[in-house]
Amino acid sequence: MVGALVVHDGEVVGSGWHRHVGGPHAEVEALREAGPRARGATLYVTLEPCSHFGRTPPCADALLEAGIARVVACHRDPNPRVSGRGFAKLREAGVEVEVGTLAAEAVRLNLCFLIAATLGRPEVTLKWAMSLDGRIATVSGESRWISSREGRRWALALREEHDAILVGSGTMLADDPRLDRRLGHAAGPNVRVVLDRRLRIPPEARLFTVAGSVLIYTEETRRERYEALTAWGAEVIVLPAVEPASVLADLHGRGIQSVLVEGGSEVLASFVAGGCYDRIMVDCAPLLIGGKGAPGPLAGAGFPSLDAAARLEEIELRRRGGDLILMAYRQECLRELLSSVAA
């Protein structure tokens, strides 16, 4: 997600943003709006201007042709085809280049792209809804609806922002979710991913009633179950072990840049235990459920000590209706990305 401004004598004379894959880049849109006033101006942009021919011509060439005198960019593009070459081309032509302004904000803006480009796996967001006392369901298993109407709409909006939605077989059997996009903000359906070691998901699941790819990761090799699910349109991938790291590696190979993990508690815990996540997003509803047997968001073995517990940072708070939305990043996540894209 890239935006650009052309500023001449303190006045914004052009602006643009990259609207869709294959469309004009932000810099080109901003230059078109600025016209002749781009000559001698400063261009502010969130990402290093490209220097190669891809789906569109190089933005660095367009900036030189327009007569831009100064470029202020948030950070380097880690794409190997760019990776500092855009800055170098501009500097060689006499353009003043400054890098690092608002870098942390820009990294958060493009978290999915940057993690996929630098770590070789999709960005992973863990999401759940819980009561104020940390329960995701009652002792009888009731969980609809802990979150408010506004909170549920926020959760649906998260699906629009991610390439894939991932759940475990327990969630599929208990809730029979469709896992689809419903708000119409993103182009096309998302990929639905189910971790199902024993292929327990039934072919009549609602997952198969809406358009979009369905990927089922399993360790089971029974041919009749495999054939039943593939007949309903799923792609069944057999792995030696259905673990977060191996699943993410396969998804990255399929071009998936971001994954929203929606549960259940065993699946969420496995991603935390393996360090295979980048941020969490939690809808905390103003409810007190209680009960020794009422489940929390993370099951699994847990961490043996507080020193070993997973640490979060950069906590952000929002409100949706009566719910409090908490967002935080895995400790070191942002700092790792900032160091990898420093100019």
Side-chain angles (χ1 to χ4, degrees):
M1 293 187 282
V2 183
L5 294 175
V6 177
V7 178
H8 193 279
D9 291 335
E11 178 188 356
V12 175
V13 296
S15 63
W17 57 287
H18 188 203
R19 299 170 188 271
H20 58 87
V21 173
H25 285 191
E27 300 95 317
V28 172
E29 282 206 346
L31 291 174
R32 285 176 182 171
E33 185 176 305
R37 300 190 69 183
R39 188 159 299 278
T42 294
L43 177 99
Y44 295 88
V45 63
T46 51
L47 184 68
E48 176 184 7
C50 63
S51 57
H52 67 289
F53 282 90
R55 295 184 179 93
T56 61
C59 289
D61 289 356
L63 297 177
L64 295 176
E65 184 178 348
I68 289 291
R70 177 170 168 255
V71 170
V72 179
C74 296
H75 59 74
R76 178 174 55 80
D77 186 341
N79 183 332
R81 294 180 297 176
V82 187
S83 194
R85 293 182 179 89
F87 292 148
K89 190 170 192 175
L90 293 171
R91 288 181 173 123
E92 288 169 3
V95 176
E96 181 185 351
V97 177
E98 297 179 20
V99 185
T101 299
L102 299 177
E105 289 84 349
V107 163
R108 285 196 288 269
L109 176 70
N110 275 314
L111 193 72
C112 300
F113 163 69
L114 294 174
I115 285 173
T118 60
L119 300 183
R121 65 161 175 80
E123 179 273 334
V124 177
T125 296
L126 310 180
K127 189 272 293 182
W128 64 83
M130 68 181 188
S131 63
L132 196 60
D133 58 337
R135 267 68 168 184
I136 62 171
T138 65
V139 291
S140 64
E142 183 182 353
S143 61
R144 292 188 177 182
W145 294 100
I146 286 179
S147 53
S148 66
R149 183 186 300 272
E150 294 85 352
R152 294 195 294 274
R153 186 170 180 84
W154 164 80
L156 288 176
L158 285 182
R159 292 184 180 179
E160 308 278 330
E161 299 172 12
H162 290 79
D163 294 341
I165 314 300
L166 185 150
V167 298
S169 58
T171 296
M172 288 301 307
L173 294 173
D175 299 336
D176 194 18
R178 298 198 307 267
L179 302 179
D180 58 328
R181 289 174 174 161
R182 303 172 201 174
L183 303 183
H185 297 165
N190 55 302
V191 177
R192 278 83 50 77
V193 180
V194 182
L195 307 188
D196 189 1
R197 290 181 174 84
R198 299 192 299 277
L199 282 187
R200 298 188 299 161
I201 179 174
E204 61 270 18
R206 293 199 306 159
L207 189 72
F208 304 115
T209 64
V210 294
S213 299
V214 175
L215 304 177
I216 301 176
Y217 290 89
T218 186
E219 299 167 10
E220 177 62 69
T221 57
R222 284 183 297 164
R223 189 168 185 81
E224 66 274 14
R225 296 294 297 144
Y226 180 96
E227 290 178 347
L229 291 168
T230 54
W232 279 84
E235 181 177 354
V236 181
I237 302 101
V238 180
L239 298 175
V242 179
E243 302 294 344
S246 57
V247 170
L248 292 175
D250 186 80
L251 290 173
H252 182 262
R254 297 169 184 270
I256 301 296
Q257 285 197 354
S258 58
V259 178
L260 180 65
V261 181
E262 292 194 351
S265 58
E266 292 287 351
V267 169
L268 289 166
S270 69
F271 276 82
V272 172
C276 296
Y277 70 103
D278 303 292
R279 61 183 172 180
I280 66 161
M281 292 188 172
V282 180
D283 183 326
C284 189
L287 300 174
L288 298 175
I289 293 177
K292 290 183 179 179
L298 301 181
F303 293 98
S305 67
L306 290 179
D307 287 341
R311 297 286 176 175
L312 304 171
E313 61 184 7
E314 300 292 332
I315 296 176
E316 300 177 17
L317 304 178
R318 307 171 187 171
R319 287 191 178 275
R320 293 294 183 272
D323 299 356
L324 183 65
I325 305 298
L326 307 176
M327 182 171 74
Y329 296 86
R330 176 179 56 84
Q331 194 174 54
E332 303 298 334
C333 171
L334 297 179
R335 276 173 277 182
E336 288 172 359
L337 289 178
L338 281 169
S339 64
S340 69
V341 296

